Each structure stands twice: as C-alpha cells, then as structure tokens.
Amino acid sequence: MNENRIRKLVIVGGGTAGWMAAASFAHYFANNGLEVTLVESSEIGTVGVGEATIPAIRDFFHSLELDDFEVMRATQGTCKLGIEFKDWSRVGESFFHPFGVFGSPARDVPFHHYWLKLRKLGDGAAYDEYSLAVALARQNHFTRPDPAPRSALSIFDWALHFDAGLFAHFLRDYAIRRGVRRLDRKVVAVNLRPADGFIESLTLEGGERLAGELFIDATGFRGVLIEGALHTGYENWTRWLPCDRAVAIPCARIGELTPYTRATALEAGWQWRIPLQHRVGNGYVYCSQFLGDDAAAATLLGNLEGERLADPNFLRFTTGHRRKFWNRNCVAIGLAAGFLEPLESTSISLIETGIEKLRRLFPDRSFNPALADEFNRSSTLEFERLRDFLIFHYKATSRADSPLWRECHAMKIPDTLEHKMRLFRTRGFLVRYEWETFSDPSWMALYTGFGYLPEDYDPLADYFDVDDLRRTLAGMRQNIAATVALTPTHVEFIAKHCAAPDLPMIRPRLTA
Ligand SMILES: Cc1cc2nc3c(=O)[nH]c(=O)nc-3n(C[C@H](O)[C@H](O)[C@H](O)COP(=O)(O)OP(=O)(O)OC[C@H]3O[C@@H](n4cnc5c(N)ncnc54)[C@H](O)[C@@H]3O)c2cc1C
C-alpha cells in the first residue's frame, strides 16, 4: 500500500453536493483507511432548490448499490421522461426534450434524414411522433424501459424529480452509516501552508482546528475554500446566458402528476414546474436587467396552480465556472464549482461527474499536478458543452416580444456552437465533441423543437423506395401508440412501486 496515500478527506458543505460526495467516498473507499469528515452549518442552510435530474442520477444510485424506488420513496420522488418546453420557439407552441431516441436508423443513416426526406415530400408527421418517451409523457403514462435491446420499450430512459432537502437527508444517513463524521459547525477561517499555499486546516466556530489532506469545497455559491481562501477566479458567461436571478415557491398540486418537468418561457426568463408526490416545485429564472425581484415573485405567485406552501426563496447567481475546479489540495464540487441555469436540470449531473472524476484521479499526498490538470481540462470542457446546449435555447428562439428574447436572438455565440449549428443547417450533420453530456437525440429534440432544420438531407437516405419508407415510418408510429396503450398512468405506477409512506396528494387522486 502507498504510504503516501491520503488518509483525511474533509468535505465542507452539507447540501446535495457535500452529501453526494460523502456518500460516494464512504462507499468506494470503505476499506482504504480514508477518514471522511463533513462540516456543514445548519445556521447557513442549503440553497433549497435542485429537484429535477437527468438519467445519469440513476447511475449514481446504482454506484452506491441503491435502488431507484428506495430513493423515490424516501424523497417523495416522481418519474421524469424529459422536459416540456412551452412558449420557447414561439408563444403558443411547445415541444419535448425526451430522454430517449427518435425512430430507428437504417443502413448507417441516422433516422432524422429519412424523416427530413419525407418532410420535403410533404409528409406532416412531427419528429417527436417517433419518440416513445414523448408519447408516454403526453398521456401522463409511465413504465420502466425494458433492458432487452429488441423490445419496443428499450428506446427511452428516465430520471427523477425529488425533494432536495429529503435527498440530502437520505444521503446523509447513508454516509453516516458508513462511517462519515459530521460536524454542524461554521468554518470561520481557512489556514494555508505558508510554503505552497495548500490548505492545512480549517478553523471552526468556537476556535477548534480541523486538519485535512484533501479538501472538497461544497459550500455552494460562497465557495469558502476555492474562492474565499484560494482566490481561484471565475469565468463569467453572463454575456451568453444573461439570467442571474431566480425565485422559487412550492405549491400544492392541482394539475396532473406529469412524468416530466415543464419549462415555460416568460417575458424576462422562464418558469419551471417540477411535480413531486407531496407538492409542486415552481421557480422563475429571470434576468435582473429586465425584471425586478418583486415583479418576478408576483408573476410566479400569479402562475401557481395551487395554494403556496412557503415564502418566496430568492436566489442570485452568476453563470460560469471557477478558473480551476481543482486548485492545490482543494476540489470544488456543486455550486462552489460553477453554475449553469437549471433549464436542462444539469447541476446535479455535474456533481456526479465531479465526484467520479475525483475518484478516478484520486491523488496521494504528493499531489502530482497531472491529476489536477486532467480534472480541470475535462471539467472545463464539460461545462462548455452544456453552456452551448443551453445557449442554443436562447439563440434559436423566434420570439421577439421582449428585450430579453430580442437580445438573445441577436447575440454572437461561441465558435463551438456556431460550428455545430452550421453543419446541422447545411446537411443535417450532428457534431459531437468530447465531454458532451447530451447526445445526438437531445440535440435533435432541440433542433426540431425550435424548427431549426437543415437545407438538405443525407443522399444515402434515397436508398429506400418512398412508399416503403412511408409504410415503415407509419409502422413506427403505430408501434409507439400500441406500446403506450399497454402502460399504466404515472400515478398508478408510483402508487404501485414507490409511493412515499405519507401520500396526501396521491391517494385521493388514485381513487378519484
Ligand atoms: C434556482 C436554482 C434552481 C436549480 N434547479 C436545479 C435542478 O432542477 N436540477 C439540478 O440538477 N440542479 C438544480 N440547481 C442546482 C442545485 O440546486 C445544486 O447543484 C445542488 O443543490 C447542490 O448545491 P450545493 O450542495 O453545491 O450547495 P448548497 O445547497 O448551497 O449547500 C452549501 C452547504 O455549504 C454549507 N456552508 C456554506 N458556508 C459554510 C461555512 N462557512 N461553514 C460550514 N458550512 C458552510 C451550507 O451550510 C450548506 O450545507 C438549481 C440551482 C438554482 C440556484
């Protein structure tokens, strides 16, 4: 065993990021002699939002040997097939970004070229009519994908909505059962080693010193270690993603228990709706240049579907990321690392990949800089890819009814996104970079949802006779409709598999 190995890991912060990291390191390093201490301050609290995820969250559960349903029961969780984007391309129009594929490719030609060909010939079926996940979502149905690759049910994926506070508690219990030491104390000073500026210890309220070898900064927007002590610097992306505020208000559920998140574009930003078993999470993400806090809260209150269950929670943020995610012996995870607005529910997935990268690149006490360099290189790319994906939503809109949308439509975008858009526009070619979170079907959902379509399709799509092609595509649509008819509603699915022990919202509705 390497005598230089790290023995003391200190995590500062007990939000989603801190407890996900604690749970993961406690699990993976169980027999490695790694002592994990987590310091959090109940006086400061957590950000209190972050309830919609992407399918990667389920890989995280499985990595901890947790069952999806166990987590859902503990967190008032619901199923998520994707996101409905309402009023984004134009007011009155909506489309889905589902987790799953559209149609099937043939002869190495992606499906969308066949669809484009028939569209050019005047056929009217929308692209999302070839997605099982969209068909399930539209009918508020849900079932789990079938792992058998040839099954009609193998072509989609799913994620969760959960109560962020309950999720952190669930992971806290998991981590503490595996030996993580928890201190409810405020960090009041970070003590650096004079020789090289590495973090040596933390001073806690009351004067106690807590020494460590590797530190994870999970202190949220504060970035107490990575910025407060190490002055790492921040890459600001507000010029592309100008929203810098949010207000969140949970409410009682009146509407359907939808198996999807809804993001509705508004005049100065957009509103989320996240259905949980016991309530609905709502928030308005907006641009302070065009809207004040009171007006944003009033708009959100006016849009709530049921009785409000808490006071408005106002949040301020700057989109971007730390210049280094790993600086000296400190690794930032979660909001301390950077922020991208929750339009595609990606922050928690960035926490997962941050934890996974650190696990794979875990240093010893010599802290070989190659490890940090790779962590920083890959994390920067991952953030940039997601940034481009988000920017596309603002750039591709045809809305011109308010200053925000007009400015976004006219803005100069990053070269990486411009290259992608140009190649797609010309011939339907999908560019895939290293460290993309979202793959081709997700880009296709956006391109078609915003009506950003190519001038031409792949000539190889001309291989099939047009009537045969029409019959095949009609068959795909029929298969989807037949499959959906066999599935339960979302409410029935939850009641059967993963209802939380106290179900004030779901039981009456089931019998209604
Ligand atoms: C408006 C909004 C909506 C969001 N929606 C989504 C979403 O739908 N999906 C998604 O994936 N993500 C979403 N996110 C992001 C998500 O909320 C975060 O990624 C996630 O909650 C992790 O937060 P965190 O643990 O990094 O920080 P926090 O929750 O802020 O936790 C910080 C922790 O640090 C502790 N702390 C701070 N200072 C000190 C100190 N000096 N001493 C001791 N402890 C300290 C606090 O007590 C707390 O425990 C959203 C974010 C915002 C702002």
Side-chain angles (χ1 to χ4, degrees), residues 145-159:
D146 185 337
R150 298 195 68 80
S151 158
L153 283 173
S154 69
I155 52 176
F156 70 98
D157 207 344
W158 64 292

Side-chain angles (χ1 to χ4, degrees), residues 13-17 40-41 44-47 49-52 185-187 218-222 224 246 272 315 334-335 339 342 345 347-348 351:
T16 303
E40 65 177 320
S41 163
I44 294 176
T46 65
V47 71
V49 283
E51 311 204 306
R185 308 276 288 284
K186 203 191 274 185
V187 172
T219 59
F221 289 130
R222 287 179 172 77
V224 174
W272 77 75
L315 301 131
L335 299 173
F339 185 73
S345 320
S347 278
I348 295 172
I351 296 173

